[in-house]
Each structure stands twice: as structure tokens, then as C-alpha cells.
Amino acid sequence: MKQSKSKLHTQNLSQSETRDEVIKGRRDFINSMALVGGSALIGVGCRPNSKEADAPPLPKVEDQHINSAHIKPGQLDDYYGFWSGGQSGEIRILGVPSMRELKRIPVFNRCSATGWGATDFSKALLDGKMSGDTHHVHLSYKNGTYDGRYVFVNDKASARLARVNCDTMEVDRIISIPNSQGTHGIFPQRHKTGYVFCNAEFRTPPINDGRDMNTPSRYGSMHTAVDGETMQVKWQVLIEGNLDLCATDYEGKYSFATCYNSEGGVTLEQMMGADQDHLYVFNIKNCERAVAEKKTITLGDSQIPVIDARGKDSPYVMRVPVPKSPHGVNVSPDGKYAMCAGKLSPTVSVIKIDILAAAFAKKISPRDCVVAEPEVGLGPLHTAFDGKGNAYTSIFIDSVMTKWNIDKAITAYKSSDGKTPNPIVQKLDVHYQVGHTNASMSETKDADGRWLIALCKFSKDRYLNVGPLHNENDQLIDISGDEMKMMHDGPTFPEPHDCVIVAKDLIHPSKIQSRRTPRFRMYEAWAKEDGVNLMKDNKVIRRKDGVVRIYMTSRAPNFGMRDFKVKTGETLQIILTNQDNVEDLSHGFCVSLHDVNFLVNANDTNSMTFKAGKPGVYWYYCPWFCHALHLEMRGRMFVEG
């Protein structure tokens, strides 16, 4: 449904805001923003018009739409939302449509609440690194929809991939991606938990040991295949450009990567010379065949097989020309099309997947695979789907969400008479500069067309000022009807890059620790070495390697060991098992003046290693409220000289 201009610009503003205040604030912001590579200053979030001051009063949101997003106290959400945490290095779990934050999963970051990053298991996974930059979060698949087993997320800062076990919502594996920098876009295969593909955004010398530093023409970046079950890197494809976002088809034939900087530049100006860039299409079977036939190389210290596909189309990779600086690539729920959005073009390129084989066979040109290019707005980034034939593209510069019809876009692209229907269905203002977007179940064959999320990079005075680091703004949009309707916005701590929205019936976390994860295999091995029963024993074990292991149990409101003695400077390893088997009954272990603080959930075991301080008495206590006598749950560590 097409809206009037005044309604388009007012429907999602707070009733308490005045038109003049909003227009002034937005125009002030416009004066500071310009599109890189463009020839003119481009307004953000609005198109100034002298008639806006005479616009009608703000429209009221219909009650039925308010009710559709309202979750009453005690009522459960319909969806899990998995948000990447950006510079925080974490994953956030939200309930949708309530937008209530349910949990933060520490991944590449140090978390004082849980001890992640300092506990023995997490410390080994992080390998000394205490920060990360999570951009893209995706779940494992089976037959085109989520199987509820794993969540995968990247670390752009240190070229890592992490896996979260959905049973416990805790990280169970972290691996480093060799020969790569700036691991950015990731995406799992959709027909099964097969490969997770990872794109390296930054071009570097293939052997990065100081050679070729000043020869950018020899640089390259990696498209990496990781086995999602074993979390082992299987093979890589070396290409010449900067790889950005990633996607996969529904049949296991192809993986996709947007690729910018076809010029091979290292400065912004050098990256702006060409008229177009590419969508890279990787032929998975051909890549596997090359690995099997050892048509590969190895680089530096890494033994991972690498297919060198730089410079030209090959059986392994095909370059589909698309407008300059493509960013997002998303595959429609029916598996027919890959949508590629270019930051410096107002269009989305629609690539037909079932004719890619003909292009690989050179029966048609790669560009012939583009079957539509609708103009959706200035600065398109990402596209989501409702499963009804419509696409929703986030428009960064215009600060709108554009709803458009895929079939009409294809018909218009073929037509030359100018009489075809406009594929643009609606544009909805969002506040402001929307980056990623996703819709409920949009990345699966079961896209249900209920909710759309706009992850906006700026909130621009929509919330109380909290200092120089401003909130971002997540907005919830109802897409169940003919028109998009804004339902909710809320501040978010920077910077969620991406999210997925998953039907709650597909996710089944345990309520009590299952003790079937790699962490428990580690503890069981330790206990076997020391002749200890983790669930029952409270013992101090002085090992030949000099480590003092203190095995301890807890049951509210007591620790199984009320005190223990150690010597100053000794390396201590506290291994605590929570004997309580009741939901929500978490304990923890905190030692005064020793920087020791970690969580132990019900039926859980966790551990931390540290050195005993100077001689004295140091109280340890449970930092998680667990009982009416919670404050009395403590003990003494005696440190002798």
C-alpha cells in the first residue's frame, strides 16, 4: 500500500515529539553527513520539504497492532532473537516481539558475572585474548530450517569463529581461521550442519611474514570452509578482492560472497575507481574435488589446503558483475534468488540461482544471471523476506525500510514498455541510518512474515542523554498485514550488527546443566587423575606439577569445605560442583582480594586457576543470591608464609 508523504514521515514518531523539533533535529544531522563516493550531500532519514511544517497531526497506531506486540507479565515470547554484540564480543538473546533482553552470552569477551575469560575452560578457548568484534550470528540448519543445535558467530578482530551449544547457551568451541584477517561474513550450509563459510574482508600477502608488504597487487583474501560439526578448517579459496558478507543456497551447491574493491586498492580513493564490483559464487563440489585431487597449495605454517582462484573465473569461483561496493547478500526462502545490495547504488541485484550452473559451464555470461535490479533507495544494505514473495531492504542513507515485490521486480527488469507495475510496495521511515535487518524465520524456507527488525545505528535524541557514547536504536516492525507498522523501538548498547529471529519451538535449552559438554569431559579427566568424585568429594590435592587442586561442592547455603590452607605463591585451582538440582539455583565462587569470581549453575562444575596472595585470612563466598542465608554461605582460605 502506498502512503502519503506526510504519513510516511510521521507514523513512527513518538506522540510527545513535535514536528518542528523533529525536523530541526534531522536537518541538523543532515548538515554533518555525506555519502562517501557521491557527488552531493545526501540527507539522512528524510527528504527536506518546505511543506513538512504544515503536515497533519501525528497518526495514532491502531490498538490491534499495539496488542500484537505486547507481551503481558508472565507470558512468553513467540521467538528467540539472537543479536550479535559488536565490539562487546558477545551474543545477546532477546524475546520477540517483547524485545526483552533475556541473556548475554559471553563469547570473545571477559565477563565478570560468569567468570568467562578467567575460568579454566574459557581461558583455554580464548588463548589469551580478552576482546572480540562479533558481527554475524547464524544457527545450524537441517533441510532448510533451523535445527536448534548450534549458534555460530564470527570475531572480525582476531579472525575467529565460535560455536554456542543451544542446549546450554554457552560457547563450546572457538577456532582461529588461518591465512585470514577481518573474518566478517559467515554463513552455514542450509541443507544440513555441514560447512560454515567464513569471509576474510582484509586483503593481505598470502604468506604474511613481511614479504610483499608493499606490493598490494599480490594481496588476497580467503573464503574458508569450516566443518560445523568438528569445528575444523577443511579448505580455503584465495581470491583477489575484499570479501564482505556471505550466504549459502538451500541445496549445498554454492556459497556466496559480496566482493568490493575490485581495484585492489589500499586507500579509500583507490577503492573508488571502478564502475562495478562482484558477487562471488563458489562452486562447492568443484572446490571439494580440487582438494581431493590435491590441486591446492599451502601457505606459511598452515597445512590447510588452499585453492588459488585469483584473477579470473574458474571451475571454483565465478564473478557476477554488480553495482559498486556490494554489501549484503541474502537468499530468498524459496531458494530461487540471491539478493545483492550495493552501498553506492540505489539498487538490489537479483541473481537467479538455478542458472548459475549454465554460467559456470559458460553457456551464458555471469551477468545474465542477474534477473532484476529494482531501485529501492539510497544506500541499500541488507534484505529480509516474508515468505509471501516480498523483500524488505534496509536503506542506510534514506533511513527507511523498503518493501518490494520480487516477481514484479523481475517483470519490470524484462519489460521495455514502461507499463509494468512498480515493484516498490512501501517505504517506512526508521530512526536513523538502519544497518542490518532481519525478519522472523527469514533466513529459512519457513519465513513467516510476522516481524521485521531494523537495527539503526543512530538514535538521535530519542532517549535520555547518557553521555558521549550514545544509544543505538532497535525498531520492531509488524509485517503481517499489507502495510509495515512500527511497533516498538528501544535503546541498545553498541553495537549489534546482525540478528536472526527463530520460532521458539525450534530451540530447547536445558534448565539444569546436562554435564555432556567438552567442559565436563575436561573435569572428568582431572577427577580421574586425582581419584576424586566431582559430585561428592571435598578434597585438597597437592599435585606433583606444583598445582594445588581444591575440589569443593556447594549446596545452598553451604560450601562442602568451610576452610582450607595453602602457602603464599602457590598455584591454586578451585574446582567447584553445585550439588543443587533446582532450576535457577546458581552458586558462584568469589575469593576476596584475589580477582577470583565465577558462576556455577545447578548441577554444574566450573573452575578457575590463580595464585595465593600474601599470608593472611581471605574469605570466599557465594556471589549469586541462592538462599535466605545467602550471606552466610562462605568460608576461609588460610594463606601461610
Side-chain angles (χ1 to χ4, degrees):
M1 295 287 294
K2 202 169 184 178
Q3 297 182 326
S4 68
K5 181 168 181 137
S6 60
K7 184 175 182 182
L8 177 66
H9 282 279
T10 60
Q11 64 182 4
N12 54 341
L13 301 180
S14 165
Q15 294 285 333
S16 64
E17 292 179 300
T18 67
R19 293 287 299 171
D20 290 343
E21 288 173 339
V22 173
I23 293 170
K24 180 181 183 300
R26 297 174 93 182
R27 285 177 177 164
D28 288 345
F29 189 43
I30 289 166
N31 292 332
S32 67
M33 301 297 295
L35 175 61
V36 174
S39 60
L41 188 66
I42 298 177
V44 177
C46 67
R47 292 149 294 283
N49 188 315
S50 61
K51 295 182 180 180
E52 284 187 327
D54 300 323
L58 298 172
K60 294 182 179 179
V61 178
E62 292 87 339
D63 289 342
Q64 65 267 27
H65 286 282
I66 293 176
N67 291 335
S68 69
H70 178 64
I71 301 296
K72 298 177 182 178
Q75 184 180 351
L76 299 181
D77 283 285
D78 294 324
Y79 301 87
Y80 287 92
F82 294 88
W83 264 238
S84 65
Q87 302 94 326
S88 70
E90 66 192 13
I91 294 173
R92 301 166 192 172
I93 304 179
L94 275 66
V96 177
S98 73
M99 302 298 287
R100 298 178 293 205
E101 185 174 284
L102 305 177
K103 183 176 184 177
R104 293 190 172 193
I105 304 175
V107 184
F108 302 109
N109 54 311
R110 172 77 166 89
C111 176
S112 179
T114 64
W116 185 263
T119 56
D120 293 319
F121 181 74
S122 62
K123 202 170 182 180
L125 288 183
L126 292 170
D127 194 26
K129 299 181 179 68
M130 285 292 109
S131 66
D133 187 11
T134 55
H135 278 227
H136 299 103
V137 54
H138 293 289
L139 275 70
S140 54
Y141 286 82
K142 183 178 181 180
N143 298 328
T145 197
Y146 300 125
D147 64 6
R149 299 174 64 215
Y150 300 123
V151 181
F152 300 98
V153 69
N154 72 303
D155 172 25
K156 184 174 179 178
S158 294
R160 291 179 291 177
L161 179 71
R163 186 180 72 186
V164 172
N165 187 324
C166 289
D167 181 55
T168 58
M169 293 300 178
E170 296 175 353
V171 177
D172 68 0
R173 292 293 301 273
I174 295 176
I175 63 168
S176 294
I177 309 296
N179 308 313
S180 296
Q181 287 186 33
T183 296
H184 189 201
I186 68 165
F187 213 99
Q189 289 188 289
R190 304 190 208 222
H191 66 303
K192 65 176 182 178
T193 305
Y195 296 125
V196 181
F197 291 100
C198 305
N199 284 340
E201 185 175 351
F202 302 142
R203 300 168 64 248
T204 59
I207 300 178
N208 196 18
D209 61 357
R211 71 185 79 177
D212 297 331
M213 286 193 298
N214 297 313
T215 313
S217 61
R218 297 181 185 175
Y219 290 6
S221 57
M222 290 292 184
H223 184 67
T224 300
V226 177
D227 186 320
E229 298 284 6
T230 65
M231 289 294 282
Q232 295 178 328
V233 177
K234 305 304 289 186
W235 45 266
Q236 298 180 299
V237 183
L238 174 63
I239 57 88
E240 70 282 355
N242 292 66
L243 294 178
D244 200 358
L245 273 293
C246 189
T248 59
D249 68 347
Y250 278 81
E251 297 180 1
K253 294 180 179 179
Y254 305 110
S255 58
F256 305 99
T258 50
C259 186
Y260 67 93
N261 186 25
S262 56
E263 304 87 345
V266 295
T267 66
L268 185 145
E269 294 79 10
Q270 293 170 352
M271 298 180 191
M272 292 292 138
D275 293 330
Q276 64 183 24
D277 283 307
H278 301 90
L279 175 69
Y280 279 38
V281 183
F282 296 88
N283 189 309
I284 296 171
K285 287 186 178 180
N286 288 347
C287 291
E288 290 176 328
R289 187 177 299 115
V291 172
E293 296 174 355
K294 297 186 178 180
K295 296 179 179 178
T296 58
I297 60 174
T298 57
L299 299 173
D301 296 331
S302 171
Q303 297 303 306
I304 302 301
V306 175
I307 301 165
D308 190 345
R310 287 176 291 179
K312 61 182 180 180
D313 288 345
S314 68
Y316 316 116
V317 59
M318 177 173 62
R319 296 155 178 82
V320 178
V322 294
K324 187 66 185 160
S325 291
H327 185 52
V329 54
N330 302 92
V331 174
S332 58
D334 58 13
K336 292 181 179 179
Y337 306 107
M339 314 295 184
C340 186
K343 300 190 295 288
L344 300 185
S345 170
T347 60
V348 173
S349 299
V350 181
I351 292 90
K352 192 174 183 185
I353 294 175
D354 68 3
I355 61 175
L356 291 173
F360 268 105
K362 302 190 182 304
K363 295 179 180 179
I364 59 174
S365 74
R367 179 64 189 177
D368 290 336
C369 297
V370 177
V371 295
E373 251 171 10
E375 292 190 8
V376 294
L378 296 176
L381 293 180
H382 305 279
T383 301
F385 308 95
D386 60 11
K388 306 170 189 175
N390 299 308
Y392 301 77
T393 299
S394 58
I395 313 296
F396 182 76
I397 299 299
D398 282 346
S399 289
V400 299
M401 292 299 306
T402 298
K403 177 181 179 180
W404 53 281
N405 184 269
I406 298 169
D407 287 341
K408 288 182 179 180
I410 294 171
T411 301
Y413 191 73
K414 294 176 181 177
S415 174
S416 59
D417 59 12
K419 298 180 181 179
T420 55
N422 184 355
I424 306 303
V425 179
Q426 182 193 1
K427 292 188 177 184
L428 178 71
D429 267 0
V430 292
H431 297 160
Y432 301 94
Q433 291 201 291
V434 55
H436 275 274
T437 185
N438 219 317
S440 48
M441 298 295 290
S442 173
E443 301 280 8
T444 77
K445 66 180 183 181
D446 298 321
D448 58 23
R450 290 188 62 188
W451 300 108
L452 181 74
I453 296 291
L455 301 182
C456 300
K457 298 301 182 185
F458 295 89
S459 55
K460 296 304 293 177
D461 303 323
R462 291 184 70 79
Y463 309 109
L464 290 174
N465 178 24
V466 290
L469 179 60
H470 296 279
N471 313 111
E472 296 187 8
N473 191 23
D474 288 355
Q475 297 191 294
L476 177 71
I477 301 166
D478 184 342
I479 59 172
S480 61
D482 292 335
E483 293 186 351
M484 294 182 282
K485 299 285 186 180
M486 186 67 68
M487 293 293 101
H488 165 93
D489 65 2
T492 183
F493 183 72
E495 177 186 23
H497 271 78
D498 199 5
C499 67
V500 293
I501 306 169
V502 184
K504 67 180 179 183
D505 293 340
L506 298 176
I507 307 294
H508 304 283
S510 294
K511 294 183 178 180
I512 301 292
Q513 186 69 49
S514 66
R515 304 183 71 85
R516 292 192 302 269
T517 67
R519 183 156 59 92
F520 291 98
R521 290 194 290 273
M522 178 181 77
Y523 294 138
E524 287 163 1
W526 291 355
K528 187 176 181 179
E529 287 176 6
D530 297 331
V532 169
N533 185 323
L534 283 173
M535 296 300 295
K536 296 180 179 180
D537 289 342
N538 293 275
K539 291 182 178 180
V540 176
I541 305 293
R542 295 186 173 275
R543 293 167 50 85
K544 292 180 180 179
D545 59 9
V547 174
V548 181
R549 282 184 178 163
I550 298 124
Y551 290 92
M552 193 183 303
T553 61
S554 61
R555 185 187 295 271
N558 275 309
F559 289 108
M561 188 181 295
R562 306 295 180 86
D563 56 60
F564 60 88
K565 291 182 180 180
V566 294
K567 295 185 181 298
T568 185
E570 284 188 317
T571 298
L572 312 181
Q573 194 169 45
I574 300 290
I575 304 165
L576 180 64
T577 296
N578 183 346
Q579 293 178 328
D580 285 302
N581 205 24
V582 179
E583 276 182 51
D584 284 352
L585 219 169
S586 296
H587 295 310
F589 192 85
C590 183
V591 183
S592 299
L593 306 182
H594 277 74
D595 194 26
V596 172
N597 188 3
F598 61 94
L599 168 69
V600 192
N601 287 315
N603 200 43
D604 195 359
T605 299
N606 213 345
S607 70
M608 188 179 291
T609 301
F610 62 102
K611 285 189 179 295
K614 63 184 181 180
V617 175
Y618 300 92
W619 287 94
Y620 55 87
Y621 65 95
C622 174
W624 290 77
F625 200 99
C626 60
H627 193 275
L629 297 177
H630 163 70
L631 292 180
E632 285 77 11
M633 188 172 174
R634 60 192 181 198
R636 291 173 296 168
M637 179 175 74
F638 298 112
V639 179
E640 300 175 335

